[in-house]
Amino acid sequence: MEPDHFERKYHLALERMEREEASFRQLEEQLRRIASRLLLLARGRDDALDGLLERVTDAVRRSSVGAGLAPLVDELGDAVARLDGTPRPASSTGPAIGPPWPEALRETLLRVVLIPSLAEEAVDIRARLAATAVDDEAAMPMLAEAVANLVNRQRDSLRADIDNLQGLLEQVSGRLEEMTHFLEMGMKEQSQDLAEGEALDTTVRDEMALLNQTARDATSLADLQEQVSSRLTLIDHHFREYRERQDARAEEFRARSASMQGRLMELETQALRLQESLAREHELALTDPLTAMPNRLAYERHVDEIHRRWQGERQHVCVAAFDIDHFKAINDNYGHAAGDAVLRIVGKALTAHAAGRYFIARYGGEEFAAVFDDMEQGEALLVAEDLCRIVAALGFHASKRPITVTMSGGITCFQMPDTPAAAFERADRALYEAKRAGRNRCVVV
């Protein structure tokens, strides 16, 4: 196991989670602003309701909207029920600001890159938003709270992942300390072995010298035999003591080694399991749950990597933006379930055509983005036109009636001093030129 490599992996994952948490904080703030503006639009019908709306607005603006907002939502529902059927004063009406609030919240939710466990709940909230009337004021705060709670749970999940990683890093640090102690003990025992070996050598030399002296001083054979036997017994005793200490130390070393090996294998298993889990979460975080295509985050990472390489090699790189024509009419006329089916079928067809030759992702809503690496502008245009023809040839039916679905596209190539965002913005402008020119076509800029 390589601790430095694992620690780098941990810090990279931590940085990614912190970036995503910052993104969700920004999204949460945008949701608060949307809710505040919707609450402003609802004022002017009743003084008591205005006071309640003021309290709800204050709760939304605070740092937490969970438990504190729930009773206010109930009060707001009761107040709206009491006022049901009461005409709105003419002075309270005004020009519409942006899209209807259910569509605004739905579009906001589509831009959220959720962890897989929350994807199904997000689909349910989007369906509720799609089925909610614009003038359903009772549903507005409850659905806004549902979106905000979803974002908060996503943030809490990211924080839990960070805590798990920090816990594992603490375990790694503890195991490394044990390894350090183990190595220190081994070095200490090695030094003891060396010292005891030198001491044994000195003792044997001394005994041999005494034995030699005894042989010279002996006056009879019996005396010599007795002295030699005594010295040899002492030498044997010294050797046995040395061997016993060596055996005991070796057994202790084997026991510590087995224990350390078990701890390291346990830690390695935990690290591998976490690494596999993070890899799965990472892959799912880069996948659009509806179409199974790469999502916007995956596109942004891919195009950033290609752009960095392009800055050094200056190879041909084109980016494209595609959009399903009249998609809102499909949702309005046939329902959002039909719209989702169109997105799934179109996504499957686009992915099959790419087949590793280029990168294509669902950018958001009914929009797709592609990166044509190492393709000149003319070749990229031909591929984009093929994609539009493929979509136009797909057979769609809703309510037992055929639906005509087409797609428009805009293509541009990297130019100095382009950034990925600048190139995509140019492709997006080309897309809307294709829309203005009649749709079901591609435009190059």
Side-chain angles (χ1 to χ4, degrees):
M1 187 173 184
E2 301 177 12
D4 292 341
H5 174 72
F6 176 80
E7 192 167 351
R8 285 197 300 272
K9 286 276 190 182
Y10 162 77
H11 285 298
L12 287 174
L14 187 61
E15 289 173 5
R16 174 179 64 80
M17 290 179 177
E18 287 175 345
R19 286 197 302 270
E20 291 178 356
E21 184 177 357
S23 173
F24 277 99
R25 282 199 298 268
Q26 183 180 7
L27 178 60
E28 182 182 2
E29 181 59 29
Q30 291 173 353
L31 289 172
R32 292 181 194 278
R33 292 177 181 177
I34 290 173
S36 297
R37 291 174 183 176
L38 292 173
L39 290 167
L40 285 173
L41 291 175
R43 293 181 181 178
R45 294 190 61 171
D46 180 84
D47 291 341
L49 179 60
D50 286 349
L52 180 56
L53 290 173
E54 182 67 32
R55 290 162 57 200
V56 174
T57 301
D58 181 63
V60 168
R61 289 173 178 168
R62 289 198 297 268
S63 59
S64 176
V65 299
L69 189 58
L72 294 177
V73 170
D74 293 337
E75 289 185 46
L76 188 59
D78 294 340
V80 171
R82 287 195 300 271
L83 291 173
D84 189 27
T86 305
R88 181 180 291 276
S91 59
S92 67
T93 60
I97 301 177
W101 70 264
E103 189 65 24
L105 280 178
R106 188 172 182 274
E107 288 298 320
T108 299
L109 193 54
L110 281 171
R111 295 181 178 274
V112 180
V113 180
L114 292 167
I115 58 176
S117 59
L118 299 179
E120 187 174 341
E121 184 176 344
V123 171
D124 177 67
I125 294 175
R126 286 199 296 269
R128 290 165 59 193
L129 288 166
T132 302
V134 177
D135 57 355
D136 189 352
E137 296 177 348
M140 177 175 60
M142 290 184 288
L143 287 171
E145 182 188 19
V147 174
N149 285 339
L150 191 69
V151 172
N152 286 336
R153 287 169 59 194
Q154 168 90 349
R155 184 182 59 189
D156 292 342
S157 176
L158 292 174
R159 286 175 175 170
D161 286 343
I162 291 174
D163 291 341
N164 289 337
L165 285 171
Q166 288 176 335
L168 183 59
L169 186 61
E170 289 175 0
Q171 290 185 36
V172 171
S173 298
R175 294 293 188 268
L176 290 176
E177 288 179 3
E178 290 179 6
M179 289 177 64
T180 301
H181 179 68
F182 176 79
L183 293 174
E184 288 176 349
M185 289 293 293
M187 293 177 65
K188 182 178 179 181
E189 289 175 356
Q190 187 177 19
S191 298
Q192 289 177 347
D193 287 345
L194 181 61
E196 289 180 2
E198 291 175 350
L200 178 63
D201 181 68
T202 301
T203 300
V204 171
R205 286 178 182 276
D206 290 344
E207 291 294 340
M208 292 299 295
L210 290 171
L211 184 61
N212 188 37
Q213 183 65 39
T214 300
R216 287 198 301 267
D217 296 343
T219 58
S220 67
L221 181 59
D223 185 42
L224 177 60
Q225 287 177 336
E226 182 181 353
Q227 292 294 329
V228 168
S229 176
S230 174
R231 293 301 173 190
L232 289 177
T233 300
L234 285 173
I235 291 173
D236 181 63
H237 175 72
H238 291 313
F239 271 111
R240 279 201 306 272
E241 283 188 338
Y242 176 76
R243 177 51 58 194
E244 287 171 359
R245 287 195 298 271
Q246 290 292 304
D247 289 345
R249 192 171 292 120
E251 183 61 32
E252 184 181 352
F253 179 80
R254 282 193 294 270
R256 286 205 311 271
S257 296
S259 175
M260 180 59 62
Q261 185 177 13
R263 288 175 178 271
L264 289 176
M265 288 179 63
E266 178 186 353
L267 180 61
E268 191 169 357
T269 300
Q270 291 175 351
L272 183 61
R273 192 178 299 130
L274 179 60
Q275 187 176 14
E276 290 173 350
S277 175
L278 288 173
R280 286 193 299 270
E281 292 290 340
H282 178 71
E283 181 179 355
L284 291 171
L286 298 176
T287 303
D288 174 60
L290 179 63
T291 63
M293 300 176 70
N295 59 16
R296 178 173 178 173
L297 178 60
Y299 164 79
E300 290 174 347
R301 292 188 177 182
H302 181 79
V303 76
D304 283 344
E305 180 182 347
I306 296 297
H307 181 262
R308 283 193 295 271
R309 184 157 58 84
W310 170 80
Q311 287 179 313
E313 299 177 5
R314 291 293 187 270
Q315 79 278 17
H316 295 289
V317 177
C318 297
V319 295
F322 298 95
D323 190 89
I324 298 176
D325 299 325
H326 300 299
F327 186 74
K328 187 176 185 301
I330 296 174
N331 281 334
D332 293 342
N333 295 331
Y334 304 102
H336 287 276
D340 288 347
V342 168
L343 288 172
R344 279 194 296 269
I345 295 171
V346 169
K348 185 177 180 180
L350 298 181
T351 302
H353 186 271
R357 295 182 298 135
Y358 57 87
F359 180 90
I360 190 160
R362 183 185 177 195
Y363 194 77
E366 68 273 21
E367 192 168 3
F368 302 88
V371 180
F372 302 115
D373 185 20
D374 203 20
M375 281 193 195
E376 295 185 359
Q377 183 172 285
E379 185 181 359
L381 175 60
L382 290 176
V383 174
E385 289 174 340
D386 280 345
L387 290 175
C388 290
R389 280 192 290 270
I390 288 170
V391 172
L394 294 172
F396 295 97
H397 291 80
S399 301
K400 298 182 179 180
R401 289 186 296 169
I403 304 175
T404 300
V405 176
T406 60
M407 185 174 74
S408 302
I411 302 98
T412 191
C413 292
F414 280 167
Q415 306 166 11
M416 287 296 294
D418 261 347
T419 63
F424 184 81
E425 184 178 349
R426 200 164 55 246
D428 206 41
R429 289 199 302 269
L431 166 63
Y432 283 94
E433 286 184 21
K435 297 274 191 184
R436 287 191 292 269
R439 296 182 170 83
N440 193 24
R441 67 194 65 209
C442 295
V443 170
V444 174
V445 295

